[in-house]
Amino acid sequence: MCLSFAGGQFLQWVAVFYAIGHALTPLTVGMEVFEFAPDNSQWNSQAKLTGTIEEATSQLTLCYRVKIYRYLPSQYYVNLMEYTIPEALACCEIRSLWTGSGPLMVLKNQFIGQSDIQVKLMRWYHHCFTFDYTDMSFEMILDGATIDQGHFNLSESTLQTQGVLMVGSAVSMDCNKPGQGSCRGLFSGQIADFNLWSRKLSQAEIQAFTNCQSEGFGDLVNWNTAQWINNNVNRFPLNLKEQLCKEKEDSFMVFPELREFIASFRFCRSLGAKMAAPFNIDQHKDMINSTRRFFADKTCDRISLGWTDEYSEGTFININDYLLEQKTTPLPKEMKEVWKFGEPNGGRLESCAELTDHDEWNDMPCSGDSKSCTSCYFKKRPLLKLRGLCRDTNFDQQYIITTNYINGKPVIKGYFRTVISWSRGIDGTHQEGRWELTSLINNASKAVLQSKSNTMYPIGRQVWTIENDVCSAGETVDKNLTLTVCEEGSYTCDSGECIDLTLRCENNQNCEDGSDEIQCTILELPDGYRTSSPPPPAILSEPVKIDLNIDIISFSEIDVNKMKISIDFYLSMTWFDPRLTFHNLREGFALNPLSLEEMKSLWFPELSFVNTAGNEISLIDDSTETYVFRNGSNYFNSLAENHETKKFYGRENPLFAYRKYTINFSCNFELQDYPFDVQNCSMDFQLRVATRQRAILMLDQVEYLGEANLLEYKVQETTVERDHPCGRQNLSSCNKIWITLKRRVGNQLLNTYLPTGSLLMTIYLSHYFKIDHYDTRIMVGLTGMLVIASLFVSTSASLPRTSYFKMIDIWMIFCFLLPFFEVILHTIVEYWTDDECYQNKRQLTDFKRKDFTFDGKVAVGASRRYRSCWQKMKNLGPQWCIDVFARVFVPLVILVFNIFYWGAALKHGGIEV
């Protein structure tokens, strides 16, 4: 079985190679190439097959090789071939089109097959397309890969015969009869190896053709034997193996102007290339091949190379890697054989390499008078874009650099209809020359760039003089245009250098000429923008929302007498304006500031601080900071704009305005519970510039950032009242912030309650003085009343005058009345005291004061009478009862009063020390 299986596979492979051998043959050295309209001047550039297709077929394979120079001016496609039945009303039986996204086939005006690749100009492509009318299937292969396959729907089951096959004829999409009048179009490019088979080639055969392993010999159309009637077609041979099928993406290109070493490096970089620095023998040979014509006609006698030992004597390194990637790449040892005998020998005076007209390397000075021609190494041929012209311009906006030279400089060819070429000066030299941008369709439209030096190229941002272009309404104008190789996501410096677009306008010079820090506005206003009109809402039935955030920093002053509270706070507003467009926004809103001039050009939410003395409003001044918060998707601007820009929609990226204020807000202090009061003060905000139907304030968050404990108050809480009614007609949107302040009583405890309490206790203790010490008792009471009255007056003076009693008033009145009551009690006690007792007491006192011997009998008698008198009054007198009553009743009154007083204080908000 193993032998049987192996034998079966062997026979299958034999059959495949047999089929390939009959359909395809190995590549030959030379193959004829047809070139159509190389300069767009021959509008009837086409080749018509002599004879016709005689045999109907149900299967078909079309293969060819094509290089496209440019596309049609009006449509982004070119028509490579068409097969038409003369009597048919439809335009074409078969058409082969190419767009910027790849090949496309048309069967009887039915589009078949599609691709999504980026087709490059001036590059060979190898394409096959198969049809099978039996199952209505197709397959499209490009460069060896299947790019589309599927089915189509036609009523015919075979390809119709007796048709006309034309190659290179471009027909417009709305054409009814090919080959007549306005139907005639233009294909500019080369076609080779065009073959047509009456069968469906196998996968192996197609792969062999599209991978350039074999060339084809179709049975319906054979490129090697077919006869063509040519109309304005150039025919020449090319090496199929080396020139068509091994076309290299990378290449060396010479620019025959004399430059210093570092200038050559910068020039190549502006073209999206690197300074030529061959690193092996094969690359050395490729570079020599690219320079022969310039050495032969003596245009150049030496060319700069990207190798230098300026940074490390004796070790040549690649200047491209060193300056662009900070990488040290030494010259390979195998490259020693390319040096001229005895070179390098210049020491530190000659630190840069050059290629001489003897195909040898030499060392030379890197600067000064030593200049050489420039050679740039392209890893792939770059696509240049012309920025600054409107969409309908007469000039192309995409270009490639060709190896065709006019007046000693390469031609830059547009994708459709434009050429940029060098024109010598009046004296025929390069001095005073200029670059000319000309249209191959409209000779009157052109643009001129005057040369400032022989080494100047139209790369980068330059001032062109434009004549007869749609963008300038046919007038002659000077306009900044940018010709750049920079890809999407990069920014073009004025010099043509490319930097990452994120490095644009970051307050750091990244372009060597500093052009990335010029014109750094991030705001784009549409035509007709009005600062007096609020932005349109995202939803038509809803007003625009202005998000308001308040961060309270501190309470710089709380003035009870003036009924005001001074608040330091940050006010921030966030809103969307769909009318705006923003440029090059960065991550993090602080990196996207708006200038004061830009802020004043916007519609800005203007707020009124309602409960202020002067009806103060929000401001736009030097203290106002406005940023754009990057929050949405972005897109790159069109080629009509001179500077590359990443744009952001205003409907997705909000504006954020921020400013610090110190505002005196009115506050109606309620002092009934003073000093145990809790105050509720407000900050009222009103939107001034729009009615609530157009815009509303949405106070999202209030945050107090300071210490909770102030000198006299404690900040308890802040609350928000959204969409608060304000104004007589309530037309505008208002928000209110309530701030709850609890008074701290520590100061009053120390300066009022403690002193007055101590005085009450002192006055009460006077009841324990001897009854006959009335003078002392009454002096204590009166002094206490005087002190309390002084405290009462000073406390009242520090508070606003009110028509109601405050808690502190009640305390002070009690503290004043109690000593007054005790003075009355002392007076009553004094009134009921017997005069005889006082007389005996005075007599006894006088005896004690005399400084001489007195009659002892008299003194003893007075003392006995005094004690007897007071004993009698103590046991029987009302004055003693009154004094005892005061000792019990007064503390009881004080106790009851304090229970009710401090209970009320706790009930009305507590005691905050």
Side-chain angles (χ1 to χ4, degrees):
M1 290 183 63
C2 293
L3 290 174
S4 175
F5 177 76
Q9 278 195 329
F10 174 76
L11 292 176
Q12 290 179 2
W13 280 108
V14 169
V16 169
F17 284 113
Y18 178 81
I20 294 175
H22 278 71
L24 306 170
T25 62
L27 294 180
T28 57
V29 175
M31 173 170 285
E32 191 172 31
V33 174
F34 286 8
E35 184 181 43
F36 302 87
D39 57 0
N40 278 31
S41 60
Q42 297 109 354
W43 288 88
N44 294 322
S45 180
Q46 57 195 256
K48 179 182 177 182
L49 180 68
T50 59
T52 183
I53 297 177
E54 301 291 344
E55 181 181 354
T57 177
S58 60
Q59 292 183 337
L60 196 69
T61 300
L62 170 65
C63 291
Y64 57 83
R65 312 184 195 279
V66 61
K67 175 190 283 189
I68 301 174
Y69 289 171
R70 60 173 55 85
Y71 287 102
L72 288 174
S74 55
Q75 295 97 4
Y76 197 59
Y77 75 93
V78 293
N79 188 92
L80 299 187
M81 65 80 63
E82 63 181 34
Y83 176 68
T84 306
I85 307 302
E87 295 80 9
L89 296 178
C91 175
C92 304
E93 188 78 8
I94 301 175
R95 295 177 67 193
S96 178
L97 306 177
W98 274 68
T99 71
S101 300
L104 177 67
M105 296 300 293
V106 181
L107 297 181
K108 289 186 177 296
N109 289 333
Q110 181 181 149
F111 289 89
I112 298 175
Q114 57 183 342
S115 58
D116 189 18
I117 63 173
Q118 184 174 0
V119 176
K120 300 177 181 178
L121 300 184
M122 308 300 293
R123 175 193 184 278
W124 281 104
Y125 286 94
H126 314 280
H127 174 50
C128 283
F129 205 105
T130 66
F131 306 90
D132 192 337
Y133 286 86
T134 59
D135 60 1
M136 299 295 176
S137 64
F138 72 89
E139 184 176 9
M140 187 188 305
I141 301 95
L142 186 67
D143 290 347
T146 299
I147 57 176
D148 195 16
Q149 57 185 347
H151 293 81
F152 56 91
N153 184 18
L154 290 177
S155 59
E156 292 84 356
S157 60
T158 62
L159 178 69
Q160 296 190 44
T161 60
Q162 305 301 318
V164 177
L165 191 149
M166 301 179 66
V167 176
S169 173
V171 181
S172 62
M173 300 294 286
D174 59 351
C175 175
N176 291 322
K177 275 194 172 183
Q180 294 183 6
S182 61
C183 295
R184 186 67 60 192
L186 174 67
F187 163 62
S188 179
Q190 298 176 15
I191 292 179
D193 211 3
F194 185 95
N195 292 274
L196 195 61
W197 287 266
S198 62
R199 65 182 180 86
K200 185 177 178 180
L201 295 187
S202 66
Q203 287 290 333
E205 292 173 312
I206 293 175
Q207 290 292 328
F209 182 91
T210 55
N211 284 328
C212 275
Q213 297 170 358
S214 302
E215 60 180 300
F217 291 97
D219 57 339
L220 297 181
V221 177
N222 187 323
W223 183 252
N224 287 338
T225 60
Q227 299 296 315
W228 301 87
I229 300 174
N230 296 315
N231 183 24
N232 295 321
V233 177
N234 298 324
R235 303 174 65 165
F236 51 85
L238 282 181
N239 188 306
L240 178 60
K241 185 176 181 180
E242 296 296 330
Q243 294 178 284
L244 271 74
C245 292
K246 287 189 177 181
E247 188 178 33
K248 294 184 178 181
E249 285 280 345
D250 61 334
S251 61
F252 293 92
M253 186 170 178
V254 175
F255 297 88
E257 302 85 30
L258 299 180
R259 296 180 179 86
E260 292 183 355
F261 177 81
I262 197 64
S264 293
F265 165 79
R266 291 171 180 166
F267 175 75
C268 291
R269 187 181 178 190
S270 70
L271 296 176
K274 293 183 178 180
M275 190 174 177
F279 59 86
N280 56 42
I281 299 300
D282 289 339
Q283 278 205 341
H284 171 64
K285 293 178 180 179
D286 289 343
M287 182 176 177
I288 289 175
N289 290 332
S290 69
T291 61
R292 290 199 183 281
R293 57 180 291 188
F294 301 97
F295 287 149
D297 61 11
K298 303 300 181 181
T299 304
C300 299
D301 59 358
R302 54 183 181 171
I303 297 176
S304 295
L305 297 173
W307 294 102
T308 178
D309 67 344
E310 187 174 14
Y311 304 99
S312 178
E313 177 61 29
T315 302
F316 279 82
I317 61 174
N318 190 312
I319 189 64
N320 303 292
D321 294 345
Y322 185 78
L323 295 182
L324 298 179
E325 303 176 20
Q326 291 74 51
K327 183 173 64 175
T328 302
T329 304
L331 183 67
K333 294 181 179 179
E334 66 175 296
M335 300 302 291
K336 289 183 178 180
E337 63 181 80
V338 302
W339 288 95
K340 182 180 178 181
F341 180 76
E343 299 288 347
N345 63 356
R348 293 191 175 276
L349 296 178
E350 298 179 345
S351 299
C352 292
E354 64 180 2
L355 175 68
T356 68
D357 54 0
H358 297 290
D359 300 341
E360 296 175 320
W361 289 19
N362 187 24
D363 59 346
M364 67 171 187
C366 295
S367 58
D369 295 332
S370 180
K371 297 180 180 180
S372 304
C373 294
T374 301
S375 178
C376 298
Y377 171 72
F378 293 90
K379 191 171 183 180
K380 60 179 181 179
R381 194 59 58 89
L383 173 67
L384 288 82
K385 290 169 285 188
L386 184 64
R387 308 186 65 93
L389 294 172
C390 68
R391 180 178 178 181
D392 298 326
T393 178
N394 297 336
F395 304 108
D396 290 336
Q397 293 179 306
Q398 293 179 311
Y399 296 81
I400 57 171
I401 301 176
T402 71
T403 54
N404 298 327
Y405 288 75
I406 294 180
N407 295 323
K409 296 184 186 292
V411 174
I412 303 174
K413 182 181 292 186
Y415 258 50
F416 301 109
R417 54 186 176 263
T418 311
V419 170
I420 302 176
S421 59
W422 173 259
S423 177
R424 296 181 186 272
I426 299 175
D427 58 356
T429 66
H430 285 293
Q431 301 299 325
E432 302 297 330
R434 63 184 189 177
W435 288 94
E436 293 181 350
L437 176 63
T438 55
S439 172
L440 299 176
I441 297 176
N442 185 354
N443 294 330
S445 297
K446 67 177 181 179
V448 174
L449 173 64
Q450 291 296 144
S451 174
K452 299 176 183 177
S453 68
N454 179 40
T455 59
M456 176 181 168
Y457 272 69
I459 305 300
R461 197 164 290 108
Q462 313 274 5
V463 179
W464 293 73
T465 300
I466 303 173
E467 300 177 9
N468 296 312
D469 186 38
V470 174
C471 300
S472 56
E475 298 181 358
T476 300
V477 296
D478 290 338
K479 188 174 181 63
N480 261 316
L481 301 181
T482 303
L483 187 63
T484 175
V485 299
C486 300
E487 297 179 350
E488 194 172 77
S490 299
Y491 177 75
T492 306
C493 305
D494 286 354
S495 63
E497 175 188 2
C498 300
I499 63 171
D500 194 284
L501 190 56
T502 59
L503 301 178
R504 166 104 159 109
C505 297
E506 62 164 5
N507 297 321
N508 184 32
Q509 181 175 317
N510 295 288
C511 294
E512 291 188 7
D513 55 15
S515 56
D516 58 316
E517 296 300 319
I518 300 174
Q519 298 182 0
C520 286
T521 178
I522 66 173
L523 179 65
E524 179 182 335
L525 298 175
D527 294 335
Y529 185 89
R530 296 176 58 189
T531 59
S532 59
S533 298
I539 302 176
L540 294 179
S541 59
E542 296 183 0
V544 177
K545 295 180 181 179
I546 313 298
D547 292 330
L548 184 65
N549 289 277
I550 303 296
D551 293 329
I552 300 175
I553 306 170
S554 63
F555 298 91
S556 54
E557 183 181 9
I558 301 177
D559 194 330
V560 178
N561 290 305
K562 295 182 179 180
M563 293 290 179
K564 71 174 184 179
I565 178 171
S566 183
I567 304 177
D568 300 324
F569 62 96
Y570 287 111
L571 183 148
S572 62
M573 295 179 289
T574 306
W575 72 98
F576 292 89
D577 194 337
R579 299 170 294 178
L580 303 178
T581 302
F582 304 112
H583 296 177
N584 303 323
L585 297 183
R586 305 179 185 281
E587 298 286 352
F589 74 94
L591 299 178
N592 305 307
L594 295 182
S595 65
L596 180 59
E597 181 180 357
E598 290 173 324
M599 285 188 276
K600 291 183 177 180
S601 67
L602 290 174
W603 177 85
F604 220 89
E606 186 177 283
L607 301 184
S608 172
F609 307 120
V610 179
N611 58 329
T612 57
N615 194 23
E616 299 188 49
I617 61 174
S618 60
L619 303 175
I620 305 174
D621 54 17
D622 291 333
S623 299
T624 306
E625 300 177 24
T626 302
Y627 304 93
V628 182
F629 185 75
R630 176 176 171 176
N631 193 40
S633 58
N634 61 81
Y635 63 97
F636 294 98
N637 63 333
S638 68
L639 294 177
E641 299 182 46
N642 195 14
H643 295 264
E644 294 94 339
T645 301
K646 188 184 291 185
K647 293 193 173 185
F648 296 79
Y649 297 106
R651 64 175 181 268
E652 298 177 353
N653 301 273
L655 289 156
F656 178 84
Y658 185 74
R659 192 185 190 279
K660 181 182 178 182
Y661 292 88
T662 299
I663 303 293
N664 294 324
F665 290 93
S666 300
C667 182
N668 186 23
F669 288 91
E670 299 291 341
L671 300 174
Q672 290 92 335
D673 298 327
Y674 180 87
F676 310 104
D677 53 321
V678 177
Q679 302 297 334
N680 290 301
C681 298
S682 68
M683 303 168 66
D684 296 357
F685 303 94
Q686 178 183 6
L687 186 62
R688 289 169 50 95
V689 292
T691 62
R692 62 173 60 250
Q693 286 75 27
R694 296 292 303 276
I696 60 171
L697 283 178
M698 296 294 292
L699 186 55
D700 286 340
Q701 181 180 1
V702 177
E703 185 175 357
Y704 175 56
L705 306 178
E707 292 290 336
N709 292 322
L710 309 179
L711 291 177
E712 294 186 60
Y713 292 90
K714 178 180 180 180
V715 182
Q716 285 193 325
E717 64 175 347
T718 56
T719 56
V720 174
E721 186 177 345
R722 296 185 180 88
D723 204 20
H724 175 73
C726 62
R728 181 172 299 177
Q729 297 179 343
N730 194 25
L731 296 177
S732 301
S733 177
C734 294
N735 283 194
K736 184 187 289 285
I737 299 174
W738 287 104
I739 303 168
T740 303
L741 302 173
K742 170 64 179 169
R743 192 182 299 274
R744 303 175 65 190
V745 299
N747 180 59
Q748 295 296 336
L749 287 175
L750 291 175
N751 295 310
T752 302
Y753 289 99
L754 183 60
T756 54
S758 301
L759 285 172
L760 290 180
M761 183 59 66
T762 302
I763 294 171
Y764 165 72
L765 291 177
S766 66
H767 290 285
Y768 292 92
F769 294 175
K770 294 185 180 299
I771 291 180
D772 59 337
H773 292 179
Y774 172 75
D775 295 342
T776 304
R777 285 187 168 199
I778 201 69
M779 186 60 65
V780 170
L782 293 175
T783 303
M785 288 180 63
L786 181 61
V787 173
I788 291 172
S790 299
L791 287 174
F792 192 8
V793 171
S794 63
T795 301
S796 299
S798 64
L799 297 174
R801 296 177 181 178
T802 61
S803 60
Y804 50 82
F805 285 102
K806 299 178 283 292
M807 288 284 286
I808 191 70
D809 296 336
I810 296 174
W811 174 268
M812 298 302 295
I813 291 173
F814 173 77
C815 292
F816 183 80
L817 291 178
L818 188 63
F820 177 73
F821 175 72
E822 294 192 63
V823 168
I824 294 175
L825 290 178
H826 288 312
T827 303
I828 293 174
V829 170
E830 174 65 18
Y831 177 78
W832 287 97
T833 301
D834 190 350
D835 292 339
E836 181 182 356
C837 293
Y838 281 109
Q839 184 177 0
N840 292 328
K841 179 182 178 181
R842 285 193 295 270
Q843 185 179 6
L844 182 60
T845 301
D846 290 341
F847 284 140
K848 291 180 179 180
R849 288 177 180 175
K850 292 180 179 178
D851 193 15
F852 53 83
T853 303
F854 57 89
D855 190 350
K857 293 181 179 182
V858 177
V860 171
S863 177
R864 288 177 177 175
R865 287 192 298 273
Y866 172 72
R867 286 196 299 272
S868 174
C869 177
W870 283 108
Q871 187 65 33
K872 178 180 177 181
M873 184 176 62
K874 179 179 179 181
N875 296 330
L876 301 174
Q879 61 273 36
W880 184 260
C881 295
I882 293 173
D883 200 43
V884 172
F885 168 78
R887 293 180 185 180
V888 176
F889 178 74
V890 169
L892 184 61
V893 171
I894 294 174
L895 177 62
V896 172
F897 174 80
N898 276 275
I899 290 174
F900 282 98
Y901 185 86
W902 295 105
L906 292 173
K907 180 180 179 181
H908 286 86
I911 301 174
E912 184 68 44
V913 179

